[in-house]
């Protein structure tokens, strides 16, 4: 399988793809390995994960360059991601033993009732390329600590990084028959669905997620889906500093080239501050350094996948046809690599694709609103339910809006943010189940209840 650098369009590596036959053997060996791994203590398993985190940080520079070379993520953002993902490991270090410990609920007289948490077995992790450290760690590290073995299929656009995970996990003492990274395209993902696994944990698009849920439904095993979003931001007129709000909003929309599941994908701005806000936002967006992702000053690199360029062009053409105004950007850069200009559209409305369909690129649509109720109705009008944000100096007023939305995560005066302390989950077309926090580790175990009569 060829790995292409999206900044140069050059083939930078060729990897042996895993075949369907290899996959059957791998899963057989993972099943054997899990029997031993699942019996180890949580602290023994955790020790490997902690060492893994150390190895990753020791090799930070090299790993960041690998990530940048295959995804086009600006190097500074690759460094940020790898450093930031370490917080999952610290969180596990502090809490995993407590979360996985047996619980005694009743122990009086002749009644003893307790719960033990047993691993699921062999789980499949089909992952995305946009934040391979964050979304990978959310699944495979938690699964390993909980005593499962893991077959990890990175996206074909993050395969080199996936292979690094495998290399360093093995170095820490995680056996080869407990973690395996398999290499291939969606076809290999499809082969995984045909294997007998004890759980499927997927990060990716709604379309593929739905397909996976349907394809494995007859197995009656846990299926968890972390899918896309069309996350709204509502900027109220009472914000203390319009310019700062615009800078923060732009970061929420354009960080990682807009290729974040929880990127701000549409903005609603109070009419009284709309023009001032848009001006500040456009100034900020125009100040972004666009170019070579290996340059530490670059903020916008190439898109990871060439095909997304067409999605962006189509959304812009559709918006302009329906009455939107282009404030900046709007086209692919005339150079090698999958570069697209950071783009701001105003006078948008809910009939436009840019306000309804996931853009997953450096483009934002803005709509003027004149009341909280109007903003709320527009924010609600979506098939997705990942996150939503409100910028306001009035917490009560912001929460009145956020409380009424069918979303997994609500942000007041922040956005595009994930923390290991709280569950990460999507509703509606944004997914099923949760990662992170105590709930995130419970996803990888099954409770066994004991009723014991002494
Ligand atoms: P895709 O759905 O295209 O791919 C996700 C994974 O599924 C990849 O590993 C892919 O392989 C694999 N795959 C493709 N077809 C099949 C199939 N038939 N059976 C099994 N596996 C298959 O998503 P993207 O890679 O484009 O990821 C971007 C999407 O992920 C966005 O919608 C984004 O919002 C979402 N996402 C959600 C997150 C969340 O936490 N909610 C976090 C990060 C991203 P291959 O790539 O090799 O084709």
């Amino acid at each position: 399988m060829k790995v292409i650098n999206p900044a140069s369009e050059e083939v930078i590596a060729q990897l042996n793809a895993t075949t369907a036959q290899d996959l059957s053997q791998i899963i057989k060996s993972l099943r054997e390995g899990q029997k031993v791994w699942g019996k180890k203590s949580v602290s023994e398993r955790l020790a490997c994960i902690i060492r893994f985190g150390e190895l990753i940080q020791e090799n930070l520079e090299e790993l960041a360059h690998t990530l940048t070379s295959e995804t086009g993520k600006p190097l500074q953002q690759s460094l940020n991601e790898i450093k930031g993902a370490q917080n999952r490991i610290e969180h596990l270090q502090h809490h995993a033993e407590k979360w996985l410990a047996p619980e005694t609920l009743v122990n009086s007289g002749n009644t003893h009732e307790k719960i033990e948490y047993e691993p699921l077995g062999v789980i499949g992790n089909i992952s995305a390329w946009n934040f391979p450290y964050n979304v990978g760690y959310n699944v495979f590290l938690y699964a390993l600590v909980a005593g499962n073995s893991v077959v990890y299929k990175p996206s074909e656009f993050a395969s080199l990084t996936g292979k690094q995970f495998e290399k360093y996990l093995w170095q820490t003492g995680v056996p080869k028959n407990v973690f395996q990274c398999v290499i291939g395209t969606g076809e290999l993902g499809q082969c995984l669905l045909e294997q007998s696994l004890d759980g499927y944990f997927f990060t990716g698009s709604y379309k593929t997620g739905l397909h996976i849920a349907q394809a494995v439904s007859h197995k009656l095993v846990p299926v968890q889906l972390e899918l896309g979003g069309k996350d709204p931001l509502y900027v109220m007129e009472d914000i203390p500093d319009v310019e700062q709000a615009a800078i923060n909003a732009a970061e929420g929309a354009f960080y990682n080239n807009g290729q974040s599941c929880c990127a701000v994908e549409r903005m609603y701005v109070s009419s009284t501050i709309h023009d001032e806000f848009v001006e500040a936002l456009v100034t900020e967006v125009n100040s972004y350094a666009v170019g070579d992702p290996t340059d530490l000053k670059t903020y916008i690199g190439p898109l990871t996948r060439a095909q997304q360029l067409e999605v962006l062009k189509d959304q812009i053409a559709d918006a302009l046809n329906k009455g939107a105004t282009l404030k900046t950007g709007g086209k692919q850069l005339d150079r090698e690599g999958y570069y697209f200009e950071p783009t701001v559209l105003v006078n948008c409305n809910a009939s436009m694709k840019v306000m309804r369909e996931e853009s997953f690129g450096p483009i934002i649509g803005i709509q003027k609103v004149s009341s909280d109720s109007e903003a709320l109705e527009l924010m609600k009008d979506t098939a997705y339910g990942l996150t939503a944000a409100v910028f306001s100096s009035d917490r009560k007023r912001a929460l009145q809006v956020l409380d009424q939305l069918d979303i997994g995560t609500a942000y007041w005066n922040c956005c595009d943010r994930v923390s290991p302390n709280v569950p990460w989950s999507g509703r509606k077309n944004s997914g099923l189940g949760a990662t992170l926090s105590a709930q995130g580790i419970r996803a990888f175990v099954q409770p066994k209840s004991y009723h014991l009569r002494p």
Side-chain angles (χ1 to χ4, degrees), residues 126-127 129-130 135 153 155-156 184-186 189-190 193 202-205 208 211 226-228 261 305 358 360 424:
I126 301 176
S127 202
W129 45 266
N130 60 337
V135 299
K153 193 204 102 51
S155 162
E156 63 190 287
T185 63
Q190 182 64 35
L193 309 183
F202 171 77
T203 307
S205 63
T208 312
H211 167 73
E226 304 273 2
L227 309 178
C261 53
R305 297 165 309 159
E358 195 176 34
F360 228 59
W424 184 247

PDB file of all heavy atoms in Angstrom, residues 126-127 129-130 135 153 155-156 184-186 189-190 193 202-205 208 211 226-228 261 305 358 360 424, ligand 1:
ATOM      1  N   ILE A 126     -11.192   0.321  14.520  1.00  0.00           N
ATOM      2  CA  ILE A 126     -11.055   0.889  13.167  1.00  0.00           C
ATOM      3  C   ILE A 126     -11.023   2.397  13.351  1.00  0.00           C
ATOM      4  O   ILE A 126     -11.974   2.981  13.866  1.00  0.00           O
ATOM      5  CB  ILE A 126     -12.237   0.459  12.273  1.00  0.00           C
ATOM      6  CG1 ILE A 126     -12.294  -1.078  12.183  1.00  0.00           C
ATOM      7  CG2 ILE A 126     -12.107   1.078  10.873  1.00  0.00           C
ATOM      8  CD1 ILE A 126     -13.479  -1.622  11.393  1.00  0.00           C
ATOM      9  N   SER A 127      -9.921   3.020  12.938  1.00  0.00           N
ATOM     10  CA  SER A 127      -9.692   4.399  13.391  1.00  0.00           C
ATOM     11  C   SER A 127      -9.570   5.404  12.237  1.00  0.00           C
ATOM     12  O   SER A 127      -9.495   5.027  11.078  1.00  0.00           O
ATOM     13  CB  SER A 127      -8.433   4.422  14.259  1.00  0.00           C
ATOM     14  OG  SER A 127      -8.445   5.539  15.110  1.00  0.00           O
ATOM     15  N   TRP A 129      -7.856   9.219  10.620  1.00  0.00           N
ATOM     16  CA  TRP A 129      -6.511   9.757  10.392  1.00  0.00           C
ATOM     17  C   TRP A 129      -6.331  11.163  10.974  1.00  0.00           C
ATOM     18  O   TRP A 129      -5.218  11.667  11.048  1.00  0.00           O
ATOM     19  CB  TRP A 129      -6.235   9.843   8.876  1.00  0.00           C
ATOM     20  CG  TRP A 129      -7.409  10.427   8.137  1.00  0.00           C
ATOM     21  CD1 TRP A 129      -8.412   9.723   7.541  1.00  0.00           C
ATOM     22  CD2 TRP A 129      -7.750  11.810   7.987  1.00  0.00           C
ATOM     23  NE1 TRP A 129      -9.352  10.580   7.018  1.00  0.00           N
ATOM     24  CE2 TRP A 129      -8.967  11.878   7.286  1.00  0.00           C
ATOM     25  CE3 TRP A 129      -7.145  13.010   8.370  1.00  0.00           C
ATOM     26  CZ2 TRP A 129      -9.593  13.089   6.965  1.00  0.00           C
ATOM     27  CZ3 TRP A 129      -7.770  14.206   8.057  1.00  0.00           C
ATOM     28  CH2 TRP A 129      -8.975  14.230   7.366  1.00  0.00           C
ATOM     29  N   ASN A 130      -7.423  11.840  11.339  1.00  0.00           N
ATOM     30  CA  ASN A 130      -7.294  13.283  11.612  1.00  0.00           C
ATOM     31  C   ASN A 130      -6.582  13.590  12.924  1.00  0.00           C
ATOM     32  O   ASN A 130      -5.849  14.569  13.006  1.00  0.00           O
ATOM     33  CB  ASN A 130      -8.657  13.980  11.529  1.00  0.00           C
ATOM     34  CG  ASN A 130      -9.656  13.435  12.513  1.00  0.00           C
ATOM     35  OD1 ASN A 130      -9.531  12.308  12.978  1.00  0.00           O
ATOM     36  ND2 ASN A 130     -10.640  14.226  12.838  1.00  0.00           N
ATOM     37  N   VAL A 135      -7.644   9.894  19.030  1.00  0.00           N
ATOM     38  CA  VAL A 135      -8.754   8.948  18.880  1.00  0.00           C
ATOM     39  C   VAL A 135      -8.274   7.506  19.008  1.00  0.00           C
ATOM     40  O   VAL A 135      -9.025   6.643  19.458  1.00  0.00           O
ATOM     41  CB  VAL A 135      -9.564   9.183  17.576  1.00  0.00           C
ATOM     42  CG1 VAL A 135     -10.168  10.563  17.554  1.00  0.00           C
ATOM     43  CG2 VAL A 135      -8.752   8.929  16.324  1.00  0.00           C
ATOM     44  N   LYS A 153      -6.854  -1.110  13.252  1.00  0.00           N
ATOM     45  CA  LYS A 153      -6.712  -0.740  11.829  1.00  0.00           C
ATOM     46  C   LYS A 153      -6.711   0.781  11.728  1.00  0.00           C
ATOM     47  O   LYS A 153      -7.747   1.420  11.821  1.00  0.00           O
ATOM     48  CB  LYS A 153      -7.841  -1.297  10.956  1.00  0.00           C
ATOM     49  CG  LYS A 153      -7.461  -1.167   9.472  1.00  0.00           C
ATOM     50  CD  LYS A 153      -8.634  -1.123   8.523  1.00  0.00           C
ATOM     51  CE  LYS A 153      -9.016   0.228   7.998  1.00  0.00           C
ATOM     52  NZ  LYS A 153      -7.992   1.087   7.394  1.00  0.00           N
ATOM     53  N   SER A 155      -6.452   4.357   9.791  1.00  0.00           N
ATOM     54  CA  SER A 155      -6.851   4.772   8.457  1.00  0.00           C
ATOM     55  C   SER A 155      -5.651   4.589   7.525  1.00  0.00           C
ATOM     56  O   SER A 155      -4.497   4.711   7.954  1.00  0.00           O
ATOM     57  CB  SER A 155      -7.261   6.243   8.481  1.00  0.00           C
ATOM     58  OG  SER A 155      -7.243   6.750   7.170  1.00  0.00           O
ATOM     59  N   GLU A 156      -5.915   4.323   6.279  1.00  0.00           N
ATOM     60  CA  GLU A 156      -4.813   4.203   5.314  1.00  0.00           C
ATOM     61  C   GLU A 156      -3.983   5.486   5.266  1.00  0.00           C
ATOM     62  O   GLU A 156      -2.844   5.481   4.824  1.00  0.00           O
ATOM     63  CB  GLU A 156      -5.352   3.880   3.926  1.00  0.00           C
ATOM     64  CG  GLU A 156      -6.237   4.971   3.372  1.00  0.00           C
ATOM     65  CD  GLU A 156      -6.978   4.549   2.104  1.00  0.00           C
ATOM     66  OE1 GLU A 156      -6.329   4.460   1.062  1.00  0.00           O
ATOM     67  OE2 GLU A 156      -8.201   4.340   2.180  1.00  0.00           O
ATOM     68  N   GLY A 184      -4.134  -1.517   5.709  1.00  0.00           N
ATOM     69  CA  GLY A 184      -4.957  -1.657   4.511  1.00  0.00           C
ATOM     70  C   GLY A 184      -5.961  -0.528   4.381  1.00  0.00           C
ATOM     71  O   GLY A 184      -6.013   0.376   5.219  1.00  0.00           O
ATOM     72  N   THR A 185      -6.758  -0.616   3.342  1.00  0.00           N
ATOM     73  CA  THR A 185      -7.779   0.398   3.081  1.00  0.00           C
ATOM     74  C   THR A 185      -9.100  -0.033   3.729  1.00  0.00           C
ATOM     75  O   THR A 185      -9.130  -0.954   4.540  1.00  0.00           O
ATOM     76  CB  THR A 185      -7.983   0.546   1.569  1.00  0.00           C
ATOM     77  OG1 THR A 185      -8.476  -0.710   1.099  1.00  0.00           O
ATOM     78  CG2 THR A 185      -6.697   0.904   0.839  1.00  0.00           C
ATOM     79  N   GLY A 186     -10.181   0.621   3.279  1.00  0.00           N
ATOM     80  CA  GLY A 186     -11.500   0.256   3.774  1.00  0.00           C
ATOM     81  C   GLY A 186     -11.849  -1.211   3.520  1.00  0.00           C
ATOM     82  O   GLY A 186     -12.617  -1.815   4.266  1.00  0.00           O
ATOM     83  N   GLY A 189     -10.853  -3.056   6.399  1.00  0.00           N
ATOM     84  CA  GLY A 189     -11.842  -2.767   7.454  1.00  0.00           C
ATOM     85  C   GLY A 189     -13.052  -3.675   7.287  1.00  0.00           C
ATOM     86  O   GLY A 189     -13.555  -4.259   8.250  1.00  0.00           O
ATOM     87  N   GLN A 190     -13.477  -3.833   6.050  1.00  0.00           N
ATOM     88  CA  GLN A 190     -14.618  -4.694   5.751  1.00  0.00           C
ATOM     89  C   GLN A 190     -14.315  -6.146   6.169  1.00  0.00           C
ATOM     90  O   GLN A 190     -15.169  -6.815   6.750  1.00  0.00           O
ATOM     91  CB  GLN A 190     -14.911  -4.599   4.243  1.00  0.00           C
ATOM     92  CG  GLN A 190     -16.101  -5.392   3.773  1.00  0.00           C
ATOM     93  CD  GLN A 190     -17.430  -4.907   4.354  1.00  0.00           C
ATOM     94  OE1 GLN A 190     -17.624  -3.707   4.555  1.00  0.00           O
ATOM     95  NE2 GLN A 190     -18.313  -5.839   4.660  1.00  0.00           N
ATOM     96  N   LEU A 193     -14.900  -6.800   9.736  1.00  0.00           N
ATOM     97  CA  LEU A 193     -16.311  -6.936  10.120  1.00  0.00           C
ATOM     98  C   LEU A 193     -16.764  -8.384   9.986  1.00  0.00           C
ATOM     99  O   LEU A 193     -17.698  -8.817  10.649  1.00  0.00           O
ATOM    100  CB  LEU A 193     -17.209  -6.042   9.257  1.00  0.00           C
ATOM    101  CG  LEU A 193     -16.814  -4.565   9.149  1.00  0.00           C
ATOM    102  CD1 LEU A 193     -17.844  -3.813   8.323  1.00  0.00           C
ATOM    103  CD2 LEU A 193     -16.655  -3.943  10.523  1.00  0.00           C
ATOM    104  N   PHE A 202     -15.205   2.114  16.539  1.00  0.00           N
ATOM    105  CA  PHE A 202     -14.958   2.782  15.265  1.00  0.00           C
ATOM    106  C   PHE A 202     -14.904   4.294  15.453  1.00  0.00           C
ATOM    107  O   PHE A 202     -15.726   4.872  16.175  1.00  0.00           O
ATOM    108  CB  PHE A 202     -16.096   2.424  14.297  1.00  0.00           C
ATOM    109  CG  PHE A 202     -16.071   3.216  13.009  1.00  0.00           C
ATOM    110  CD1 PHE A 202     -15.162   2.911  12.005  1.00  0.00           C
ATOM    111  CD2 PHE A 202     -16.942   4.276  12.814  1.00  0.00           C
ATOM    112  CE1 PHE A 202     -15.130   3.643  10.819  1.00  0.00           C
ATOM    113  CE2 PHE A 202     -16.923   5.017  11.638  1.00  0.00           C
ATOM    114  CZ  PHE A 202     -16.002   4.707  10.637  1.00  0.00           C
ATOM    115  N   THR A 203     -13.969   4.935  14.778  1.00  0.00           N
ATOM    116  CA  THR A 203     -13.964   6.395  14.665  1.00  0.00           C
ATOM    117  C   THR A 203     -13.907   6.727  13.185  1.00  0.00           C
ATOM    118  O   THR A 203     -13.008   6.264  12.477  1.00  0.00           O
ATOM    119  CB  THR A 203     -12.734   7.014  15.358  1.00  0.00           C
ATOM    120  OG1 THR A 203     -12.681   6.536  16.690  1.00  0.00           O
ATOM    121  CG2 THR A 203     -12.829   8.530  15.394  1.00  0.00           C
ATOM    122  N   GLY A 204     -14.864   7.514  12.722  1.00  0.00           N
ATOM    123  CA  GLY A 204     -14.868   7.871  11.311  1.00  0.00           C
ATOM    124  C   GLY A 204     -16.183   8.513  10.923  1.00  0.00           C
ATOM    125  O   GLY A 204     -16.876   9.099  11.758  1.00  0.00           O
ATOM    126  N   SER A 205     -16.536   8.374   9.677  1.00  0.00           N
ATOM    127  CA  SER A 205     -17.702   9.094   9.161  1.00  0.00           C
ATOM    128  C   SER A 205     -19.008   8.386   9.527  1.00  0.00           C
ATOM    129  O   SER A 205     -19.032   7.179   9.805  1.00  0.00           O
ATOM    130  CB  SER A 205     -17.588   9.191   7.641  1.00  0.00           C
ATOM    131  OG  SER A 205     -17.607   7.895   7.089  1.00  0.00           O
ATOM    132  N   THR A 208     -19.747   5.330   7.069  1.00  0.00           N
ATOM    133  CA  THR A 208     -19.060   4.065   7.364  1.00  0.00           C
ATOM    134  C   THR A 208     -19.541   3.513   8.706  1.00  0.00           C
ATOM    135  O   THR A 208     -19.702   2.293   8.868  1.00  0.00           O
ATOM    136  CB  THR A 208     -17.525   4.259   7.374  1.00  0.00           C
ATOM    137  OG1 THR A 208     -17.149   4.989   6.212  1.00  0.00           O
ATOM    138  CG2 THR A 208     -16.793   2.953   7.383  1.00  0.00           C
ATOM    139  N   HIS A 211     -22.748   1.722   8.313  1.00  0.00           N
ATOM    140  CA  HIS A 211     -22.502   0.454   7.620  1.00  0.00           C
ATOM    141  C   HIS A 211     -21.959  -0.590   8.606  1.00  0.00           C
ATOM    142  O   HIS A 211     -22.401  -1.747   8.618  1.00  0.00           O
ATOM    143  CB  HIS A 211     -21.519   0.688   6.465  1.00  0.00           C
ATOM    144  CG  HIS A 211     -20.967  -0.576   5.906  1.00  0.00           C
ATOM    145  ND1 HIS A 211     -21.726  -1.424   5.126  1.00  0.00           N
ATOM    146  CD2 HIS A 211     -19.750  -1.170   6.045  1.00  0.00           C
ATOM    147  CE1 HIS A 211     -20.998  -2.476   4.798  1.00  0.00           C
ATOM    148  NE2 HIS A 211     -19.792  -2.345   5.338  1.00  0.00           N
ATOM    149  N   GLU A 226     -17.762   6.679  17.058  1.00  0.00           N
ATOM    150  CA  GLU A 226     -17.430   8.098  17.256  1.00  0.00           C
ATOM    151  C   GLU A 226     -17.444   8.716  15.864  1.00  0.00           C
ATOM    152  O   GLU A 226     -16.525   8.495  15.081  1.00  0.00           O
ATOM    153  CB  GLU A 226     -16.025   8.250  17.857  1.00  0.00           C
ATOM    154  CG  GLU A 226     -15.799   7.498  19.154  1.00  0.00           C
ATOM    155  CD  GLU A 226     -16.200   8.287  20.377  1.00  0.00           C
ATOM    156  OE1 GLU A 226     -16.689   9.422  20.227  1.00  0.00           O
ATOM    157  OE2 GLU A 226     -16.033   7.754  21.483  1.00  0.00           O
ATOM    158  N   LEU A 227     -18.482   9.471  15.565  1.00  0.00           N
ATOM    159  CA  LEU A 227     -18.688   9.901  14.173  1.00  0.00           C
ATOM    160  C   LEU A 227     -18.540  11.424  14.015  1.00  0.00           C
ATOM    161  O   LEU A 227     -18.085  12.105  14.908  1.00  0.00           O
ATOM    162  CB  LEU A 227     -20.064   9.423  13.703  1.00  0.00           C
ATOM    163  CG  LEU A 227     -20.349   7.925  13.946  1.00  0.00           C
ATOM    164  CD1 LEU A 227     -21.755   7.565  13.492  1.00  0.00           C
ATOM    165  CD2 LEU A 227     -19.323   7.047  13.256  1.00  0.00           C
ATOM    166  N   GLY A 228     -18.975  11.904  12.882  1.00  0.00           N
ATOM    167  CA  GLY A 228     -18.760  13.317  12.543  1.00  0.00           C
ATOM    168  C   GLY A 228     -19.747  14.259  13.197  1.00  0.00           C
ATOM    169  O   GLY A 228     -20.575  13.865  14.015  1.00  0.00           O
ATOM    170  N   CYS A 261     -13.334  16.346  14.334  1.00  0.00           N
ATOM    171  CA  CYS A 261     -14.738  15.935  14.449  1.00  0.00           C
ATOM    172  C   CYS A 261     -15.537  17.020  15.152  1.00  0.00           C
ATOM    173  O   CYS A 261     -16.705  17.229  14.855  1.00  0.00           O
ATOM    174  CB  CYS A 261     -14.845  14.619  15.203  1.00  0.00           C
ATOM    175  SG  CYS A 261     -14.005  14.644  16.781  1.00  0.00           S
ATOM    176  N   ARG A 305      -6.709  14.432   2.459  1.00  0.00           N
ATOM    177  CA  ARG A 305      -7.223  13.627   1.341  1.00  0.00           C
ATOM    178  C   ARG A 305      -7.600  14.514   0.161  1.00  0.00           C
ATOM    179  O   ARG A 305      -8.367  15.482   0.326  1.00  0.00           O
ATOM    180  CB  ARG A 305      -8.463  12.853   1.779  1.00  0.00           C
ATOM    181  CG  ARG A 305      -8.201  11.848   2.889  1.00  0.00           C
ATOM    182  CD  ARG A 305      -9.493  11.393   3.519  1.00  0.00           C
ATOM    183  NE  ARG A 305     -10.303  12.547   3.891  1.00  0.00           N
ATOM    184  CZ  ARG A 305     -11.605  12.515   4.088  1.00  0.00           C
ATOM    185  NH1 ARG A 305     -12.256  11.389   3.953  1.00  0.00           N
ATOM    186  NH2 ARG A 305     -12.260  13.597   4.424  1.00  0.00           N
ATOM    187  N   GLU A 358     -21.152  18.019   6.829  1.00  0.00           N
ATOM    188  CA  GLU A 358     -19.813  18.176   7.403  1.00  0.00           C
ATOM    189  C   GLU A 358     -18.839  18.647   6.316  1.00  0.00           C
ATOM    190  O   GLU A 358     -18.770  18.052   5.234  1.00  0.00           O
ATOM    191  CB  GLU A 358     -19.354  16.833   7.980  1.00  0.00           C
ATOM    192  CG  GLU A 358     -18.160  16.976   8.894  1.00  0.00           C
ATOM    193  CD  GLU A 358     -17.743  15.657   9.551  1.00  0.00           C
ATOM    194  OE1 GLU A 358     -17.875  14.595   8.914  1.00  0.00           O
ATOM    195  OE2 GLU A 358     -17.260  15.714  10.695  1.00  0.00           O
ATOM    196  N   PHE A 360     -15.354  19.456   6.959  1.00  0.00           N
ATOM    197  CA  PHE A 360     -14.072  18.811   7.241  1.00  0.00           C
ATOM    198  C   PHE A 360     -12.947  19.441   6.431  1.00  0.00           C
ATOM    199  O   PHE A 360     -12.166  18.775   5.759  1.00  0.00           O
ATOM    200  CB  PHE A 360     -14.174  17.302   6.965  1.00  0.00           C
ATOM    201  CG  PHE A 360     -13.612  16.500   8.102  1.00  0.00           C
ATOM    202  CD1 PHE A 360     -14.131  16.630   9.377  1.00  0.00           C
ATOM    203  CD2 PHE A 360     -12.533  15.626   7.915  1.00  0.00           C
ATOM    204  CE1 PHE A 360     -13.601  15.905  10.444  1.00  0.00           C
ATOM    205  CE2 PHE A 360     -12.001  14.906   8.974  1.00  0.00           C
ATOM    206  CZ  PHE A 360     -12.544  15.039  10.231  1.00  0.00           C
ATOM    207  N   TRP A 424     -16.605  11.347  26.144  1.00  0.00           N
ATOM    208  CA  TRP A 424     -16.651  11.889  24.789  1.00  0.00           C
ATOM    209  C   TRP A 424     -17.668  11.058  24.017  1.00  0.00           C
ATOM    210  O   TRP A 424     -17.470   9.865  23.809  1.00  0.00           O
ATOM    211  CB  TRP A 424     -15.270  11.814  24.127  1.00  0.00           C
ATOM    212  CG  TRP A 424     -15.248  12.443  22.769  1.00  0.00           C
ATOM    213  CD1 TRP A 424     -15.064  11.809  21.576  1.00  0.00           C
ATOM    214  CD2 TRP A 424     -15.437  13.829  22.469  1.00  0.00           C
ATOM    215  NE1 TRP A 424     -15.122  12.725  20.556  1.00  0.00           N
ATOM    216  CE2 TRP A 424     -15.360  13.972  21.084  1.00  0.00           C
ATOM    217  CE3 TRP A 424     -15.674  14.967  23.263  1.00  0.00           C
ATOM    218  CZ2 TRP A 424     -15.505  15.201  20.445  1.00  0.00           C
ATOM    219  CZ3 TRP A 424     -15.825  16.184  22.640  1.00  0.00           C
ATOM    220  CH2 TRP A 424     -15.735  16.300  21.247  1.00  0.00           C
TER     221      TRP A 424
HETATM  222  P1  LIG B   1     -14.092   7.022   7.162  1.00  0.00           P
HETATM  223  O1  LIG B   1     -15.428   6.599   7.658  1.00  0.00           O
HETATM  224  O2  LIG B   1     -13.889   7.204   5.712  1.00  0.00           O
HETATM  225  O3  LIG B   1     -12.976   5.978   7.629  1.00  0.00           O
HETATM  226  C1  LIG B   1     -12.781   5.607   8.988  1.00  0.00           C
HETATM  227  C2  LIG B   1     -12.120   4.248   9.048  1.00  0.00           C
HETATM  228  O4  LIG B   1     -12.990   3.256   8.508  1.00  0.00           O
HETATM  229  C3  LIG B   1     -10.830   4.167   8.243  1.00  0.00           C
HETATM  230  O5  LIG B   1      -9.902   3.364   8.922  1.00  0.00           O
HETATM  231  C4  LIG B   1     -11.303   3.515   6.953  1.00  0.00           C
HETATM  232  O6  LIG B   1     -10.277   2.924   6.236  1.00  0.00           O
HETATM  233  C5  LIG B   1     -12.303   2.507   7.506  1.00  0.00           C
HETATM  234  N1  LIG B   1     -13.283   1.990   6.550  1.00  0.00           N
HETATM  235  C6  LIG B   1     -13.674   2.515   5.359  1.00  0.00           C
HETATM  236  N2  LIG B   1     -14.627   1.730   4.793  1.00  0.00           N
HETATM  237  C7  LIG B   1     -14.829   0.692   5.644  1.00  0.00           C
HETATM  238  C8  LIG B   1     -15.695  -0.453   5.620  1.00  0.00           C
HETATM  239  N3  LIG B   1     -16.529  -0.711   4.611  1.00  0.00           N
HETATM  240  N4  LIG B   1     -15.658  -1.293   6.675  1.00  0.00           N
HETATM  241  C9  LIG B   1     -14.840  -1.071   7.715  1.00  0.00           C
HETATM  242  N5  LIG B   1     -13.990  -0.019   7.776  1.00  0.00           N
HETATM  243  C10 LIG B   1     -13.988   0.856   6.769  1.00  0.00           C
HETATM  244  O7  LIG B   1     -13.751   8.333   7.958  1.00  0.00           O
HETATM  245  P2  LIG B   1     -12.511   9.310   7.737  1.00  0.00           P
HETATM  246  O8  LIG B   1     -11.230   8.534   7.807  1.00  0.00           O
HETATM  247  O9  LIG B   1     -12.754  10.166   6.585  1.00  0.00           O
HETATM  248  O10 LIG B   1     -12.545  10.160   9.078  1.00  0.00           O
HETATM  249  C11 LIG B   1     -13.157  11.407   9.135  1.00  0.00           C
HETATM  250  C12 LIG B   1     -14.480  11.278   9.844  1.00  0.00           C
HETATM  251  O11 LIG B   1     -14.257  10.834  11.180  1.00  0.00           O
HETATM  252  C13 LIG B   1     -15.183  12.617   9.978  1.00  0.00           C
HETATM  253  O12 LIG B   1     -16.548  12.441   9.735  1.00  0.00           O
HETATM  254  C14 LIG B   1     -14.940  12.971  11.432  1.00  0.00           C
HETATM  255  O13 LIG B   1     -15.892  13.849  11.945  1.00  0.00           O
HETATM  256  C15 LIG B   1     -14.972  11.633  12.095  1.00  0.00           C
HETATM  257  N6  LIG B   1     -14.290  11.659  13.396  1.00  0.00           N
HETATM  258  C16 LIG B   1     -15.033  11.580  14.531  1.00  0.00           C
HETATM  259  C17 LIG B   1     -14.431  11.666  15.771  1.00  0.00           C
HETATM  260  C18 LIG B   1     -15.218  11.571  17.033  1.00  0.00           C
HETATM  261  O14 LIG B   1     -14.617  11.390  18.081  1.00  0.00           O
HETATM  262  N7  LIG B   1     -16.526  11.713  17.014  1.00  0.00           N
HETATM  263  C19 LIG B   1     -12.980  11.858  15.901  1.00  0.00           C
HETATM  264  C20 LIG B   1     -12.295  11.920  14.629  1.00  0.00           C
HETATM  265  C21 LIG B   1     -12.940  11.836  13.430  1.00  0.00           C
HETATM  266  P3  LIG B   1      -9.431   3.787   5.180  1.00  0.00           P
HETATM  267  O15 LIG B   1      -9.190   5.149   5.744  1.00  0.00           O
HETATM  268  O16 LIG B   1      -8.179   3.028   5.054  1.00  0.00           O
HETATM  269  O17 LIG B   1     -10.278   3.863   3.955  1.00  0.00           O
END
